[in-house]
Amino acid sequence: MLIYRFLTGVDDSAFCHKVTKALSEGWQLHGSPSYAFDAARQCMVAGQAVTKVVPDQPYDPDRKLIDY
């Protein structure tokens, strides 16, 4: 089964660490990162999709994706 997450955060080193942590846990980058200006916070926000192949099992929407 392929699972999907979209990581977001202010475009800073903490966001890079979040993506790096996901990669170290077996997630793979999916597509290009995205950027948008958050007018309320007056900062750039980054996003990156990641996917991971996990053993086939029933999908449970109440289960956290990091628990697969």
Side-chain angles (χ1 to χ4, degrees):
M1 176 169 72
L2 184 67
I3 55 176
Y4 169 92
R5 290 172 61 195
F6 189 71
L7 306 173
T8 61
V10 173
D11 185 21
D12 60 9
S13 63
F15 176 74
C16 294
H17 286 284
K18 183 187 291 189
V19 174
T20 301
K21 182 176 185 297
L23 294 174
S24 75
E25 294 171 344
W27 295 85
Q28 295 185 349
L29 298 177
H30 181 79
S32 299
S34 60
Y35 297 95
F37 184 70
D38 183 335
R41 294 190 285 175
Q42 294 291 300
C43 63
M44 293 298 291
V45 176
Q48 175 64 58
V50 292
T51 59
K52 184 176 183 180
V53 176
V54 297
D56 283 338
Q57 53 195 289
Y59 173 69
D60 179 1
D62 295 325
R63 186 174 179 185
K64 292 182 179 182
L65 292 175
I66 60 172
D67 292 337
Y68 276 96

